[in-house]
Structures are given as structure tokens and as C-alpha cells.
Amino acid sequence: EHFSLSVPNNTAKEYNDGLEEMKAEMRKLHAGEKENFSYKTTLMLLFLLRLLCIVTAWQGNVVATLALSSAQFLVAPYSLFVSFTLALALAPPIYASHYIAFSLIQSAASILAMICPSFLLDLVVSIAPYLHLPIGPVFIA
């Protein structure tokens, strides 16, 4: 579907002028500071750090993974604040859904254990070791 927006010329000019003023104000906030790296260099360094995080996580080296992920804010200082606020915002819905799902699965399993015949429970117990799925680097890949 095609979308078009028609506004008077003075409204568009007013909006664009306001946007340019805002950009100028934002640039003034850090006018005295010199950037350590160019934007492309910063992106490349962050990419390499994150790639190293993946490699160390794949190898199961928790300490190195946490150290590398913590070092990201040295390259991009705002990334620490953004990551922290994102974690605060997303943690409740992510963890709440896991706890709710786990509780429902536990409840369903308890109810089924009470109503299922014993021969069926014995069958489930005998095949349970084959249904165990360890969560590790191979599973994640």
C-alpha cells in the first residue's frame, strides 16, 4: 500500500529547521571532547570484541567471556549504560515468562504423575535418560 503525506511547505521547513537546531545542540554537548576512534573503527572494535565473546563462550570460558563483554564499554562508553538499562527493561518479561512456563510444566507433570497408570510412568522413567538434552556449546550452535 502506498503512503503519502502532504503538509504545507512552511510546516516542513519549520520541522527541518528544528531538526537542524537539535543536531547543532547535540553536537555542542561534546564539542570540547576529542573522539578516540572514528565511528568505523569503533564498530570494528565492538564487532571483534563480540566475536571474541562468542568464541570464549563456545569454549566454555566464563571468566574470559564476562571480561570481554565488560570491556565493551571501554570502546563505547555509552554501551554500559544502554546495556544496563536494556537489561532492567527486558529482565522482568524474559524471566517472568520462563518462571511461568516452568511452573506450568511442573504442575502439568505433577498432575499427569497422579493420574497416569504405573506401567506408563515406568515406561517414561525407563526412557528418561534418552530424553535428557544437555544445554552446552554444541546445543547452542
Side-chain angles (χ1 to χ4, degrees):
E1 211 175 292
H2 181 69
F3 174 77
S4 66
L5 178 64
S6 299
V7 294
N9 194 24
N10 64 341
T11 304
K13 183 170 177 11
E14 184 181 320
Y15 175 81
N16 287 334
D17 290 343
L19 189 61
E20 291 303 319
E21 281 180 34
M22 183 197 61
K23 287 181 190 177
E25 287 294 321
M26 296 296 278
R27 287 187 188 110
K28 285 181 195 175
L29 292 174
H30 298 284
E33 298 177 15
K34 182 185 175 291
E35 290 186 15
N36 295 335
F37 306 111
S38 71
Y39 180 70
K40 284 186 177 183
T41 304
T42 302
L43 284 180
M44 185 56 72
L45 288 171
L46 285 174
F47 174 78
L48 290 173
L49 269 172
R50 290 171 181 164
L51 185 63
L52 286 172
C53 281
I54 292 170
V55 170
T56 56
W58 176 271
Q59 294 174 346
N61 190 343
V62 176
V63 175
T65 303
L66 291 175
L68 284 169
S69 63
S70 298
Q72 290 183 45
F73 81 94
L74 296 174
V75 176
Y78 293 125
S79 67
L80 180 66
F81 174 74
V82 171
S83 296
F84 184 70
T85 54
L86 191 60
L88 284 177
L90 293 180
I94 289 172
Y95 290 118
S97 63
H98 283 87
Y99 286 127
I100 291 169
F102 181 75
S103 298
L104 290 173
I105 290 170
Q106 283 292 112
S107 299
S110 297
I111 292 169
L112 286 175
M114 287 189 292
I115 62 173
C116 282
S118 62
F119 75 89
L120 190 57
L121 291 176
D122 292 338
L123 177 66
V124 170
V125 168
S126 66
I127 63 170
Y130 301 107
L131 300 176
H132 178 70
L133 182 64
I135 307 289
V138 176
F139 175 78
I140 294 170

